Amino acid sequence: MTKLKIRPANINDVEAIAAVIAPFVDDVISSDEGRERFKPHMLKDIFQRPLIHYFVAEMNGEIVGNLAYIEPSHVMHYFLKAEYQGQGYGRQMWSFLEHEILKNDPDIITVNSSFFALEIYKKFGFEVASESTKNWGIQYIPMKKHLSHPF
C-alpha cells in the first residue's frame, strides 16, 4: 500500500475538496441548507476560521481525501474517495488526524457522524454519545472517544 501524502489544505484546494465530499452529501444532509454547506463557496469560509485545521490526503498529486478538526478536539470533516476505502488509507488519515488533535492534550475527541461512517468511527474507538440529531440541514449521530492519559 502506498503511503498518502497528507498536508495542510489551502483555499486553492476547495474545488477538489468539494469533489471528494460530493458523493457523500446525500448520506448526511436533511435539507437544502445542508447541501449548501458542502459547496465550494461555503467551504472557502473554513479557511477564514483560525480554530479549524484542514488537511488533504494526496495520492500521486491527486486529492483523494480530506480531514479537518475544530480546536481543541472536534472532528469536522473526514472523507475518502470510495475507490480508496477498505485499503488502509482511511486508517492512515485517522492516525494523522488523531496525532494532530492530541497536540491539544484533550480528554475526549468528538465527532458528528453520518450513519454511513458510524461503524468506521467505532473501529477508531468512538462510542455513540446521544441519538441522531438534525442541525444546519445535516443529520448526524454525536459520538465521542475518551482518551486515557498516562500519569
Side-chain angles (χ1 to χ4, degrees), residues 61-100:
E62 175 194 359
I63 293 175
V64 299
N66 48 277
L67 47 163
Y69 77 95
I70 303 170
E71 285 185 26
S73 61
H74 179 74
V75 177
M76 186 177 112
H77 283 175
Y78 180 81
F79 294 96
L80 178 63
K81 285 185 173 183
E83 60 265 32
Y84 293 93
Q85 294 176 10
Q87 302 172 57
Y89 297 119
R91 186 156 297 279
Q92 278 183 43
M93 289 171 53
W94 174 250
S95 293
F96 174 88
L97 187 61
E98 187 172 41
H99 177 78
E100 290 295 312

Side-chain angles (χ1 to χ4, degrees), residues 94 98 107-109 124-127 143-147:
W94 174 250
E98 187 172 41
D107 292 324
I108 192 170
I109 300 174
F124 296 153
F126 284 83
E127 58 190 40
M143 299 185 79
K144 61 186 175 183
K145 178 178 182 176
H146 292 279
L147 303 169

Side-chain angles (χ1 to χ4, degrees), residues 14-49:
V14 167
E15 294 291 334
I17 289 168
V20 169
I21 295 172
F24 304 101
V25 169
D26 287 337
D27 292 331
V28 298
I29 64 155
S30 62
S31 72
D32 287 338
E33 177 190 2
R35 184 178 305 285
E36 194 69 19
R37 291 183 158 280
F38 294 105
K39 292 193 174 174
H41 70 278
M42 293 293 281
L43 293 170
K44 285 181 183 178
D45 290 343
I46 290 169
F47 296 100
Q48 307 301 318
R49 300 181 185 181

